[in-house]
Amino acid sequence: MSTAYRIGDYEFSSREVRDLLVAWAALGLAFTIFFPGGGPNVLALGAGIVVLLGVSLLTAGVAFLLHELAHKVVAVNYGQIAEFRADYNMLFLAVMSALLGFIFAAPGAVHHRGYLNEREHGHIAIAGPVMNLVLAAVFLPVYLGGIGLNLGLLVLLGQLGIIVNLFLAAFNLVPFGPLDGKTVIAWSKPVWGGTFLLSAVLTYIAWTTLDISII
């Protein structure tokens, strides 16, 4: 029988915990390779790889982890049985694509069962992108604090945390395939349009104004 872990009102099976940790670690590794521009550039970092891995786990890894947990929390609050399942083939693809200088990251999904209306489906779907927008706001004072204290590592942590989370919010709101946008737009076009526009504009501003230097 699978061991269950409970945090407040939310239960996690041992398989779910394992899948969440594997997805977090795999995406942290993938973004460690991706951020400098691919395999050869990572090797040029030398011992700096360890530092960048830590930054990647705290930014991209946490961004994906909390995005999926936000889906689960809202689903459970609507009476659903909900669990995250990692897609190991897609995690492998994320690492392999990062070696080539781009990244395709689809770590898995929260699967839930039970009756839901369109509004509830929409709330569950938009919870992930909203979590990423909140996380981007959390990383903003980290970035500003790093500048104020003249701490390059803190600046980098803030920069990557802001950009990755804004990008994930915008990307997941694209109304295509299994992405969250398709479900959100079916529930409310105004909510989808406002959230997607905000995410896309902020992503563009962050990408063009934050001067990131990895190596």
Side-chain angles (χ1 to χ4, degrees):
M1 185 175 178
S2 179
T3 304
Y5 304 89
R6 180 171 288 278
I7 301 176
D9 296 329
Y10 308 102
E11 189 174 278
F12 300 83
S13 68
S14 57
R15 178 181 175 182
E16 184 178 22
V17 171
R18 181 199 66 196
D19 277 12
L20 285 167
L21 291 175
V22 169
W24 178 51
L27 289 171
L29 174 61
F31 275 91
T32 299
I33 299 167
F34 168 73
F35 283 141
N41 292 332
V42 171
L43 295 177
L45 290 174
I49 294 176
V50 177
V51 175
L52 185 54
L53 176 60
V55 171
S56 298
L57 289 170
L58 291 173
T59 54
V62 167
F64 275 97
L65 190 68
L66 294 187
H67 175 105
E68 298 301 336
L69 288 178
H71 289 314
K72 178 185 174 81
V73 167
V74 177
V76 170
N77 286 343
Y78 277 130
Q80 300 289 287
I81 297 173
E83 283 205 6
F84 174 79
R85 287 289 178 266
D87 187 326
Y88 287 83
N89 290 329
M90 296 306 293
L91 288 172
F92 178 75
L93 178 60
V95 175
M96 292 299 102
S97 64
L99 288 169
L100 300 175
F102 70 98
I103 194 161
F104 187 86
V110 170
H111 299 278
H112 52 83
R113 64 180 184 271
Y115 174 76
L116 288 170
N117 59 40
E118 204 166 65
R119 174 176 170 272
E120 291 166 339
H121 271 298
H123 287 177
I124 293 170
I126 204 169
V130 168
M131 172 58 75
N132 290 129
L133 290 174
V134 171
L135 286 171
V138 169
F139 277 105
L140 179 58
V142 174
Y143 168 65
L144 296 175
I147 292 176
L149 296 171
N150 196 27
L151 294 175
L153 183 59
L154 207 57
V155 171
L156 179 62
L157 186 68
Q159 288 173 325
L160 294 180
I162 292 168
I163 289 176
V164 167
N165 277 287
L166 290 176
F167 171 76
L168 284 178
F171 176 75
N172 279 283
L173 284 168
V174 173
F176 176 78
L179 297 176
D180 300 324
K182 198 171 182 179
T183 304
V184 176
I185 204 171
W187 157 55
S188 173
K189 289 182 176 64
V191 171
W192 171 81
T195 312
F196 178 67
L197 183 62
L198 174 66
S199 303
V201 169
L202 290 177
T203 299
Y204 175 78
I205 292 172
W207 188 263
T208 55
T209 58
L210 297 179
D211 183 23
I212 296 176
S213 178
I214 303 294
I215 56 175

mmCIF file of all heavy atoms in Angstrom, residues 168-207:
data_model
loop_
_atom_site.group_PDB
_atom_site.id
_atom_site.type_symbol
_atom_site.label_atom_id
_atom_site.label_comp_id
_atom_site.label_asym_id
_atom_site.label_seq_id
_atom_site.Cartn_x
_atom_site.Cartn_y
_atom_site.Cartn_z
ATOM 1 N N LEU A 168 6.702 31.283 -17.859
ATOM 2 C CA LEU A 168 5.853 30.118 -17.632
ATOM 3 C C LEU A 168 4.376 30.506 -17.563
ATOM 4 O O LEU A 168 3.508 29.782 -18.063
ATOM 5 C CB LEU A 168 6.259 29.403 -16.348
ATOM 6 C CG LEU A 168 7.525 28.559 -16.419
ATOM 7 C CD1 LEU A 168 7.824 27.942 -15.062
ATOM 8 C CD2 LEU A 168 7.375 27.465 -17.466
ATOM 9 N N ALA A 169 4.091 31.646 -16.944
ATOM 10 C CA ALA A 169 2.704 32.111 -16.878
ATOM 11 C C ALA A 169 2.168 32.357 -18.281
ATOM 12 O O ALA A 169 1.081 31.891 -18.637
ATOM 13 C CB ALA A 169 2.612 33.381 -16.036
ATOM 14 N N ALA A 170 2.940 33.086 -19.097
ATOM 15 C CA ALA A 170 2.502 33.402 -20.462
ATOM 16 C C ALA A 170 2.403 32.144 -21.318
ATOM 17 O O ALA A 170 1.412 31.934 -22.029
ATOM 18 C CB ALA A 170 3.454 34.415 -21.096
ATOM 19 N N PHE A 171 3.429 31.300 -21.253
ATOM 20 C CA PHE A 171 3.462 30.095 -22.083
ATOM 21 C C PHE A 171 2.288 29.168 -21.786
ATOM 22 O O PHE A 171 1.643 28.638 -22.693
ATOM 23 C CB PHE A 171 4.786 29.360 -21.873
ATOM 24 C CG PHE A 171 4.882 28.056 -22.603
ATOM 25 C CD1 PHE A 171 5.089 28.033 -23.976
ATOM 26 C CD2 PHE A 171 4.765 26.847 -21.931
ATOM 27 C CE1 PHE A 171 5.172 26.824 -24.669
ATOM 28 C CE2 PHE A 171 4.839 25.640 -22.607
ATOM 29 C CZ PHE A 171 5.045 25.634 -23.985
ATOM 30 N N ASN A 172 2.009 28.963 -20.501
ATOM 31 C CA ASN A 172 0.949 28.038 -20.129
ATOM 32 C C ASN A 172 -0.441 28.576 -20.430
ATOM 33 O O ASN A 172 -1.417 27.808 -20.429
ATOM 34 C CB ASN A 172 1.059 27.664 -18.650
ATOM 35 C CG ASN A 172 2.083 26.576 -18.401
ATOM 36 O OD1 ASN A 172 1.837 25.405 -18.655
ATOM 37 N ND2 ASN A 172 3.254 26.965 -17.920
ATOM 38 N N LEU A 173 -0.552 29.869 -20.688
ATOM 39 C CA LEU A 173 -1.846 30.445 -21.040
ATOM 40 C C LEU A 173 -2.102 30.438 -22.547
ATOM 41 O O LEU A 173 -3.156 30.885 -22.995
ATOM 42 C CB LEU A 173 -1.956 31.873 -20.484
ATOM 43 C CG LEU A 173 -2.216 31.939 -18.978
ATOM 44 C CD1 LEU A 173 -2.011 33.353 -18.454
ATOM 45 C CD2 LEU A 173 -3.620 31.445 -18.644
ATOM 46 N N VAL A 174 -1.137 29.947 -23.322
ATOM 47 C CA VAL A 174 -1.377 29.788 -24.759
ATOM 48 C C VAL A 174 -2.481 28.743 -24.936
ATOM 49 O O VAL A 174 -2.380 27.639 -24.390
ATOM 50 C CB VAL A 174 -0.089 29.337 -25.486
ATOM 51 C CG1 VAL A 174 -0.389 29.012 -26.955
ATOM 52 C CG2 VAL A 174 0.976 30.425 -25.392
ATOM 53 N N PRO A 175 -3.558 29.065 -25.655
ATOM 54 C CA PRO A 175 -4.688 28.127 -25.786
ATOM 55 C C PRO A 175 -4.421 27.038 -26.821
ATOM 56 O O PRO A 175 -5.020 26.997 -27.892
ATOM 57 C CB PRO A 175 -5.846 29.039 -26.217
ATOM 58 C CG PRO A 175 -5.185 30.145 -26.959
ATOM 59 C CD PRO A 175 -3.849 30.372 -26.284
ATOM 60 N N PHE A 176 -3.512 26.155 -26.482
ATOM 61 C CA PHE A 176 -3.105 25.100 -27.417
ATOM 62 C C PHE A 176 -2.870 23.801 -26.671
ATOM 63 O O PHE A 176 -2.235 23.784 -25.607
ATOM 64 C CB PHE A 176 -1.830 25.515 -28.158
ATOM 65 C CG PHE A 176 -1.286 24.460 -29.080
ATOM 66 C CD1 PHE A 176 -1.866 24.233 -30.323
ATOM 67 C CD2 PHE A 176 -0.202 23.674 -28.698
ATOM 68 C CE1 PHE A 176 -1.376 23.249 -31.171
ATOM 69 C CE2 PHE A 176 0.298 22.690 -29.539
ATOM 70 C CZ PHE A 176 -0.303 22.479 -30.783
ATOM 71 N N GLY A 177 -3.365 22.701 -27.247
ATOM 72 C CA GLY A 177 -3.091 21.377 -26.703
ATOM 73 C C GLY A 177 -3.448 21.248 -25.235
ATOM 74 O O GLY A 177 -4.502 21.707 -24.798
ATOM 75 N N PRO A 178 -2.547 20.644 -24.440
ATOM 76 C CA PRO A 178 -2.842 20.407 -23.030
ATOM 77 C C PRO A 178 -2.522 21.602 -22.124
ATOM 78 O O PRO A 178 -2.647 21.497 -20.910
ATOM 79 C CB PRO A 178 -1.929 19.225 -22.697
ATOM 80 C CG PRO A 178 -0.735 19.440 -23.570
ATOM 81 C CD PRO A 178 -1.272 20.031 -24.862
ATOM 82 N N LEU A 179 -2.083 22.719 -22.697
ATOM 83 C CA LEU A 179 -1.715 23.875 -21.881
ATOM 84 C C LEU A 179 -2.946 24.463 -21.182
ATOM 85 O O LEU A 179 -4.084 24.281 -21.623
ATOM 86 C CB LEU A 179 -1.034 24.940 -22.743
ATOM 87 C CG LEU A 179 0.291 24.518 -23.385
ATOM 88 C CD1 LEU A 179 0.815 25.627 -24.292
ATOM 89 C CD2 LEU A 179 1.328 24.175 -22.321
ATOM 90 N N ASP A 180 -2.703 25.203 -20.111
ATOM 91 C CA ASP A 180 -3.795 25.724 -19.291
ATOM 92 C C ASP A 180 -4.696 26.702 -20.037
ATOM 93 O O ASP A 180 -5.884 26.814 -19.727
ATOM 94 C CB ASP A 180 -3.219 26.435 -18.054
ATOM 95 C CG ASP A 180 -2.393 25.499 -17.186
ATOM 96 O OD1 ASP A 180 -2.762 24.315 -17.072
ATOM 97 O OD2 ASP A 180 -1.379 25.953 -16.621
ATOM 98 N N GLY A 181 -4.153 27.407 -21.008
ATOM 99 C CA GLY A 181 -4.904 28.451 -21.688
ATOM 100 C C GLY A 181 -6.183 27.963 -22.338
ATOM 101 O O GLY A 181 -7.201 28.678 -22.343
ATOM 102 N N LYS A 182 -6.158 26.764 -22.871
ATOM 103 C CA LYS A 182 -7.330 26.223 -23.567
ATOM 104 C C LYS A 182 -8.509 26.065 -22.605
ATOM 105 O O LYS A 182 -9.663 26.363 -22.952
ATOM 106 C CB LYS A 182 -6.968 24.878 -24.196
ATOM 107 C CG LYS A 182 -7.911 24.419 -25.276
ATOM 108 C CD LYS A 182 -7.334 23.194 -25.982
ATOM 109 C CE LYS A 182 -8.252 22.726 -27.113
ATOM 110 N NZ LYS A 182 -7.685 21.552 -27.808
ATOM 111 N N THR A 183 -8.228 25.610 -21.390
ATOM 112 C CA THR A 183 -9.284 25.432 -20.392
ATOM 113 C C THR A 183 -9.761 26.770 -19.856
ATOM 114 O O THR A 183 -10.957 26.973 -19.628
ATOM 115 C CB THR A 183 -8.770 24.553 -19.228
ATOM 116 O OG1 THR A 183 -8.302 23.307 -19.750
ATOM 117 C CG2 THR A 183 -9.857 24.298 -18.212
ATOM 118 N N VAL A 184 -8.814 27.706 -19.645
ATOM 119 C CA VAL A 184 -9.184 29.027 -19.120
ATOM 120 C C VAL A 184 -10.058 29.770 -20.115
ATOM 121 O O VAL A 184 -11.078 30.376 -19.741
ATOM 122 C CB VAL A 184 -7.923 29.856 -18.785
ATOM 123 C CG1 VAL A 184 -8.318 31.269 -18.337
ATOM 124 C CG2 VAL A 184 -7.104 29.177 -17.695
ATOM 125 N N ILE A 185 -9.702 29.736 -21.389
ATOM 126 C CA ILE A 185 -10.456 30.472 -22.399
ATOM 127 C C ILE A 185 -11.865 29.884 -22.584
ATOM 128 O O ILE A 185 -12.814 30.612 -22.908
ATOM 129 C CB ILE A 185 -9.689 30.508 -23.740
ATOM 130 C CG1 ILE A 185 -10.133 31.713 -24.578
ATOM 131 C CG2 ILE A 185 -9.861 29.240 -24.531
ATOM 132 C CD1 ILE A 185 -9.278 31.948 -25.814
ATOM 133 N N ALA A 186 -12.015 28.579 -22.339
ATOM 134 C CA ALA A 186 -13.336 27.950 -22.421
ATOM 135 C C ALA A 186 -14.235 28.426 -21.283
ATOM 136 O O ALA A 186 -15.464 28.466 -21.420
ATOM 137 C CB ALA A 186 -13.196 26.431 -22.374
ATOM 138 N N TRP A 187 -13.618 28.781 -20.171
ATOM 139 C CA TRP A 187 -14.370 29.275 -19.009
ATOM 140 C C TRP A 187 -14.669 30.763 -19.138
ATOM 141 O O TRP A 187 -15.799 31.204 -18.999
ATOM 142 C CB TRP A 187 -13.595 28.988 -17.724
ATOM 143 C CG TRP A 187 -13.956 29.878 -16.569
ATOM 144 C CD1 TRP A 187 -15.206 30.081 -16.046
ATOM 145 C CD2 TRP A 187 -13.060 30.681 -15.788
ATOM 146 N NE1 TRP A 187 -15.144 30.972 -14.991
ATOM 147 C CE2 TRP A 187 -13.832 31.352 -14.816
ATOM 148 C CE3 TRP A 187 -11.683 30.886 -15.821
ATOM 149 C CZ2 TRP A 187 -13.262 32.223 -13.880
ATOM 150 C CZ3 TRP A 187 -11.117 31.749 -14.893
ATOM 151 C CH2 TRP A 187 -11.905 32.408 -13.933
ATOM 152 N N SER A 188 -13.628 31.570 -19.412
ATOM 153 C CA SER A 188 -13.811 33.021 -19.452
ATOM 154 C C SER A 188 -12.785 33.668 -20.379
ATOM 155 O O SER A 188 -11.603 33.738 -20.035
ATOM 156 C CB SER A 188 -13.681 33.616 -18.044
ATOM 157 O OG SER A 188 -13.685 35.029 -18.086
ATOM 158 N N LYS A 189 -13.244 34.150 -21.509
ATOM 159 C CA LYS A 189 -12.345 34.826 -22.448
ATOM 160 C C LYS A 189 -11.756 36.103 -21.850
ATOM 161 O O LYS A 189 -10.564 36.381 -22.031
ATOM 162 C CB LYS A 189 -13.063 35.120 -23.761
ATOM 163 C CG LYS A 189 -13.360 33.878 -24.602
ATOM 164 C CD LYS A 189 -14.027 34.249 -25.909
ATOM 165 C CE LYS A 189 -14.242 33.014 -26.791
ATOM 166 N NZ LYS A 189 -15.181 32.062 -26.169
ATOM 167 N N PRO A 190 -12.545 36.944 -21.129
ATOM 168 C CA PRO A 190 -11.966 38.153 -20.526
ATOM 169 C C PRO A 190 -10.856 37.848 -19.510
ATOM 170 O O PRO A 190 -9.829 38.524 -19.486
ATOM 171 C CB PRO A 190 -13.164 38.835 -19.850
ATOM 172 C CG PRO A 190 -14.350 38.344 -20.612
ATOM 173 C CD PRO A 190 -14.025 36.929 -20.969
ATOM 174 N N VAL A 191 -11.080 36.842 -18.651
ATOM 175 C CA VAL A 191 -10.052 36.471 -17.663
ATOM 176 C C VAL A 191 -8.810 35.965 -18.380
ATOM 177 O O VAL A 191 -7.685 36.351 -18.038
ATOM 178 C CB VAL A 191 -10.583 35.400 -16.689
ATOM 179 C CG1 VAL A 191 -9.448 34.864 -15.812
ATOM 180 C CG2 VAL A 191 -11.687 35.976 -15.814
ATOM 181 N N TRP A 192 -9.014 35.098 -19.369
ATOM 182 C CA TRP A 192 -7.870 34.588 -20.122
ATOM 183 C C TRP A 192 -7.126 35.727 -20.807
ATOM 184 O O TRP A 192 -5.893 35.821 -20.698
ATOM 185 C CB TRP A 192 -8.327 33.586 -21.185
ATOM 186 C CG TRP A 192 -7.197 33.217 -22.114
ATOM 187 C CD1 TRP A 192 -6.213 32.301 -21.882
ATOM 188 C CD2 TRP A 192 -6.909 33.804 -23.389
ATOM 189 N NE1 TRP A 192 -5.326 32.268 -22.931
ATOM 190 C CE2 TRP A 192 -5.732 33.178 -23.874
ATOM 191 C CE3 TRP A 192 -7.519 34.788 -24.153
ATOM 192 C CZ2 TRP A 192 -5.160 33.524 -25.099
ATOM 193 C CZ3 TRP A 192 -6.968 35.130 -25.379
ATOM 194 C CH2 TRP A 192 -5.795 34.496 -25.852
ATOM 195 N N GLY A 193 -7.861 36.613 -21.514
ATOM 196 C CA GLY A 193 -7.216 37.689 -22.264
ATOM 197 C C GLY A 193 -6.428 38.619 -21.365
ATOM 198 O O GLY A 193 -5.288 38.979 -21.674
ATOM 199 N N GLY A 194 -7.019 39.015 -20.228
ATOM 200 C CA GLY A 194 -6.316 39.920 -19.317
ATOM 201 C C GLY A 194 -5.083 39.298 -18.710
ATOM 202 O O GLY A 194 -4.018 39.935 -18.641
ATOM 203 N N THR A 195 -5.201 38.035 -18.281
ATOM 204 C CA THR A 195 -4.058 37.359 -17.642
ATOM 205 C C THR A 195 -2.953 37.067 -18.649
ATOM 206 O O THR A 195 -1.759 37.246 -18.350
ATOM 207 C CB THR A 195 -4.514 36.048 -16.978
ATOM 208 O OG1 THR A 195 -5.675 36.281 -16.192
ATOM 209 C CG2 THR A 195 -3.416 35.484 -16.090
ATOM 210 N N PHE A 196 -3.350 36.629 -19.840
ATOM 211 C CA PHE A 196 -2.348 36.324 -20.868
ATOM 212 C C PHE A 196 -1.629 37.596 -21.320
ATOM 213 O O PHE A 196 -0.395 37.599 -21.463
ATOM 214 C CB PHE A 196 -3.017 35.650 -22.066
ATOM 215 C CG PHE A 196 -2.053 35.353 -23.198
ATOM 216 C CD1 PHE A 196 -1.053 34.409 -23.034
ATOM 217 C CD2 PHE A 196 -2.144 36.027 -24.402
ATOM 218 C CE1 PHE A 196 -0.163 34.125 -24.060
ATOM 219 C CE2 PHE A 196 -1.257 35.759 -25.429
ATOM 220 C CZ PHE A 196 -0.265 34.807 -25.257
ATOM 221 N N LEU A 197 -2.383 38.676 -21.538
ATOM 222 C CA LEU A 197 -1.766 39.933 -21.969
ATOM 223 C C LEU A 197 -0.799 40.455 -20.916
ATOM 224 O O LEU A 197 0.329 40.860 -21.236
ATOM 225 C CB LEU A 197 -2.848 40.974 -22.261
ATOM 226 C CG LEU A 197 -2.359 42.329 -22.788
ATOM 227 C CD1 LEU A 197 -1.643 42.159 -24.127
ATOM 228 C CD2 LEU A 197 -3.530 43.302 -22.926
ATOM 229 N N LEU A 198 -1.219 40.427 -19.650
ATOM 230 C CA LEU A 198 -0.348 40.876 -18.559
ATOM 231 C C LEU A 198 0.929 40.044 -18.520
ATOM 232 O O LEU A 198 2.034 40.592 -18.433
ATOM 233 C CB LEU A 198 -1.091 40.762 -17.229
ATOM 234 C CG LEU A 198 -0.268 41.062 -15.965
ATOM 235 C CD1 LEU A 198 0.143 42.532 -15.939
ATOM 236 C CD2 LEU A 198 -1.066 40.694 -14.712
ATOM 237 N N SER A 199 0.789 38.722 -18.597
ATOM 238 C CA SER A 199 1.953 37.830 -18.528
ATOM 239 C C SER A 199 2.901 38.058 -19.697
ATOM 240 O O SER A 199 4.131 38.113 -19.521
ATOM 241 C CB SER A 199 1.499 36.363 -18.509
ATOM 242 O OG SER A 199 0.626 36.120 -17.442
ATOM 243 N N ALA A 200 2.342 38.183 -20.913
ATOM 244 C CA ALA A 200 3.164 38.359 -22.110
ATOM 245 C C ALA A 200 3.905 39.688 -22.089
ATOM 246 O O ALA A 200 5.101 39.744 -22.413
ATOM 247 C CB ALA A 200 2.288 38.260 -23.358
ATOM 248 N N VAL A 201 3.217 40.754 -21.700
ATOM 249 C CA VAL A 201 3.847 42.079 -21.658
ATOM 250 C C VAL A 201 4.952 42.115 -20.612
ATOM 251 O O VAL A 201 6.055 42.625 -20.859
ATOM 252 C CB VAL A 201 2.797 43.172 -21.383
ATOM 253 C CG1 VAL A 201 3.469 44.511 -21.074
ATOM 254 C CG2 VAL A 201 1.858 43.323 -22.574
ATOM 255 N N LEU A 202 4.675 41.564 -19.432
ATOM 256 C CA LEU A 202 5.690 41.552 -18.371
ATOM 257 C C LEU A 202 6.886 40.683 -18.749
ATOM 258 O O LEU A 202 8.034 41.011 -18.411
ATOM 259 C CB LEU A 202 5.071 41.060 -17.059
ATOM 260 C CG LEU A 202 4.083 42.008 -16.382
ATOM 261 C CD1 LEU A 202 3.501 41.366 -15.124
ATOM 262 C CD2 LEU A 202 4.757 43.342 -16.030
ATOM 263 N N THR A 203 6.628 39.581 -19.443
ATOM 264 C CA THR A 203 7.728 38.731 -19.908
ATOM 265 C C THR A 203 8.627 39.506 -20.862
ATOM 266 O O THR A 203 9.869 39.450 -20.755
ATOM 267 C CB THR A 203 7.183 37.474 -20.624
ATOM 268 O OG1 THR A 203 6.387 36.722 -19.707
ATOM 269 C CG2 THR A 203 8.324 36.597 -21.127
ATOM 270 N N TYR A 204 8.027 40.218 -21.797
ATOM 271 C CA TYR A 204 8.801 41.010 -22.768
ATOM 272 C C TYR A 204 9.623 42.097 -22.056
ATOM 273 O O TYR A 204 10.820 42.274 -22.347
ATOM 274 C CB TYR A 204 7.864 41.652 -23.787
ATOM 275 C CG TYR A 204 8.578 42.581 -24.749
ATOM 276 C CD1 TYR A 204 9.304 42.058 -25.825
ATOM 277 C CD2 TYR A 204 8.553 43.959 -24.559
ATOM 278 C CE1 TYR A 204 9.981 42.895 -26.690
ATOM 279 C CE2 TYR A 204 9.228 44.807 -25.425
ATOM 280 C CZ TYR A 204 9.938 44.276 -26.491
ATOM 281 O OH TYR A 204 10.613 45.115 -27.350
ATOM 282 N N ILE A 205 8.995 42.782 -21.108
ATOM 283 C CA ILE A 205 9.693 43.849 -20.380
ATOM 284 C C ILE A 205 10.876 43.275 -19.596
ATOM 285 O O ILE A 205 11.989 43.809 -19.636
ATOM 286 C CB ILE A 205 8.732 44.583 -19.431
ATOM 287 C CG1 ILE A 205 7.699 45.375 -20.238
ATOM 288 C CG2 ILE A 205 9.503 45.516 -18.492
ATOM 289 C CD1 ILE A 205 6.592 45.972 -19.397
ATOM 290 N N ALA A 206 10.631 42.164 -18.888
ATOM 291 C CA ALA A 206 11.697 41.554 -18.081
ATOM 292 C C ALA A 206 12.831 41.047 -18.959
ATOM 293 O O ALA A 206 14.016 41.249 -18.660
ATOM 294 C CB ALA A 206 11.129 40.410 -17.240
ATOM 295 N N TRP A 207 12.477 40.403 -20.079
ATOM 296 C CA TRP A 207 13.484 39.822 -20.962
ATOM 297 C C TRP A 207 14.356 40.902 -21.598
ATOM 298 O O TRP A 207 15.550 40.682 -21.829
ATOM 299 C CB TRP A 207 12.800 38.981 -22.039
ATOM 300 C CG TRP A 207 13.759 38.191 -22.877
ATOM 301 C CD1 TRP A 207 14.262 38.511 -24.101
ATOM 302 C CD2 TRP A 207 14.360 36.945 -22.522
ATOM 303 N NE1 TRP A 207 15.122 37.539 -24.541
ATOM 304 C CE2 TRP A 207 15.204 36.571 -23.596
ATOM 305 C CE3 TRP A 207 14.252 36.102 -21.410
ATOM 306 C CZ2 TRP A 207 15.941 35.381 -23.568
ATOM 307 C CZ3 TRP A 207 14.987 34.929 -21.394
ATOM 308 C CH2 TRP A 207 15.821 34.586 -22.474
#
